[in-house]
Amino acid sequence: MRIVVASGKGGTGKTTVATSLALSAGDFVRFMDCDVEAPNAALFLNPKLDTRKEVGIQLPVVDEALCTHCGKCAEVCEFHAIAVIGKKILVFPELCHGCGSCTLVCHEKAISERLDVMGVLERGPTATGMDFAQGVMNVGEPMAVPIIRELKKWNPMSLRASAKQSYADGRLLREDHPRNDIEIRDAPPGASCPVVETMRGADFILLVTEPTPFGLHDLKQVVGIARELGIPAGVVVNRDGIGDNAVEAYCAEAGIPILLRIPMERRFAEAIASGKTLVDAAPEYRAAFQTLLQDITARVAA
Ligand code: SF4
Ligand code: SF4
């Protein structure tokens, strides 16, 4: 089961919810920090990042000696990233999406590809046996989506490593485990392409918001994306008790269930500021997150 934890705006407690949900979910959890521009879940989960891989897109490289300047590559490129001007051919790397269409249509085999490194993927286990992975985008790169796409693809193997780890530790074998395998994706903030890519292929979207006009505004945007993608969603209200009842009224009207409320408490803010997760700071919330997970599982099954 793949759960995305998202919020329309930064600072709502999205990573707080994602990390505590992961820590309450048992042995077979994959955690992916998809906020590749500013990943921070590792600060709370402290994984041992022992595997690294460079990622990016395949940029076309034209061999002028083979090129007949027929213009087919420029015609097929919907991003205008390659142009043929008289006897000159130009590639604009900042516009290229690495789709490979130009290479495919070139009958002269004049186009080869080179990896344009945009960032790295890092992965490793946490002390609790969780399989953790994150993407880190290079400073100044314009596109986060290719890194998130590679991060999502990089994960499936990890389950075997996680299962072996659990066996080695003398805990339950995967086959004996009562729950399904769970993947939790911590989404980037906002409501643009990186969020959409993080949500693609998910079974459930958990939307973290706060009961303020800003929280409501941004919640509506991510609800819109979840609906476009046809993925069921539920809401966690963080800092419950501040603001007003507008989020509650909106959720009731839109038919979106509020699955958990986390009150505004100074001790939570202090713990999180010092690098602790919510369930470490307030162990009584572990049961609430386990109930939340059961609720999500039932909704996905339904
Ligand atoms: S399709 Fe190939 S031969 Fe034609 S212009 Fe492009 S690179 Fe040159
Ligand atoms: S790889 Fe795709 S986006 Fe890039 S230049 Fe070729 S056709 Fe255009």
Side-chain angles (χ1 to χ4, degrees), residues 1-297:
M1 181 171 60
R2 291 166 293 233
I3 303 168
V4 171
V5 183
S7 66
K9 89 189 205 19
T12 52
K14 175 176 56 62
T15 300
T16 300
V17 170
T19 51
S20 286
L21 184 63
L23 286 169
S24 307
D27 287 342
F28 298 98
V29 178
R30 286 169 270 167
F31 190 98
M32 262 191 260
D33 193 342
C34 297
D35 186 3
V36 301
E37 286 183 60
N40 66 347
L43 298 174
F44 298 96
L45 296 174
N46 297 307
K48 186 169 173 270
L49 297 171
D50 51 14
T51 311
R52 207 165 180 272
K53 178 185 167 188
E54 287 187 328
V55 286
I57 59 171
Q58 295 291 339
L59 280 183
V61 180
V62 180
D63 184 341
E64 293 271 3
L66 296 176
C67 177
T68 58
H69 306 97
C70 68
K72 285 198 179 101
C73 52
E75 273 169 36
V76 80
C77 181
E78 60 180 299
F79 303 104
H80 308 293
I82 190 162
V84 181
I85 303 161
K87 295 281 171 205
K88 268 245 150 293
I89 183 158
L90 301 170
V91 176
F92 304 101
E94 63 282 4
L95 299 180
C96 178
H97 283 55
C99 69
S101 301
C102 52
T103 310
L104 280 176
V105 299
C106 180
H107 295 311
E108 313 304 327
K109 305 269 179 256
I111 303 181
S112 57
E113 293 175 338
R114 71 167 172 87
L115 180 70
D116 179 38
V117 176
M118 302 170 82
V120 293
L121 305 183
E122 296 173 326
R123 160 196 234 149
T126 68
T128 60
M130 191 186 302
D131 177 24
F132 181 97
Q134 67 177 8
V136 186
M137 190 165 98
N138 291 344
V139 174
E141 285 293 343
M143 286 187 285
V145 168
I147 301 172
I148 297 169
R149 199 178 289 140
E150 290 298 317
L151 178 62
K152 285 162 64 184
K153 276 198 246 161
W154 201 38
N155 230 31
M157 270 176 58
S158 60
L159 208 51
R160 286 194 288 280
S162 174
K164 266 192 214 145
Q165 176 81 32
S166 297
Y167 180 59
D169 292 347
R171 285 179 279 156
L172 286 171
L173 281 168
R174 183 178 173 188
E175 291 76 24
D176 299 329
H177 201 264
R179 273 191 291 269
N180 289 331
D181 301 318
I182 293 163
E183 176 178 299
I184 293 173
R185 300 178 193 162
D186 189 4
S192 57
C193 299
V195 177
V196 177
E197 181 56 40
T198 304
M199 289 182 179
R200 265 187 222 286
D203 299 299
F204 195 87
I205 298 170
L206 195 56
L207 301 167
V208 184
T209 189
E210 57 185 25
T212 64
F214 293 121
L216 176 60
H217 173 269
D218 295 321
L219 174 65
K220 285 179 180 174
Q221 288 190 314
V222 275
V223 165
I225 300 173
R227 289 197 161 151
E228 284 270 319
L229 293 172
I231 302 171
V235 166
V236 173
V237 178
N238 193 25
R239 301 191 190 99
D240 193 28
I242 65 167
D244 53 32
N245 291 329
V247 164
E248 189 160 348
Y250 166 72
C251 288
E253 191 189 324
I256 302 163
I258 294 178
L259 303 177
L260 181 66
R261 294 171 189 273
I262 301 168
M264 174 70 184
E265 285 193 31
R266 188 185 172 89
R267 65 182 173 127
F268 296 167
E270 285 173 354
I272 288 157
S274 67
K276 277 190 183 163
T277 63
L278 177 61
V279 290
D280 285 335
E284 69 273 18
Y285 268 85
R286 200 172 283 265
F289 277 99
Q290 284 165 348
T291 303
L292 171 63
L293 190 59
Q294 284 164 7
D295 199 346
I296 292 171
T297 305

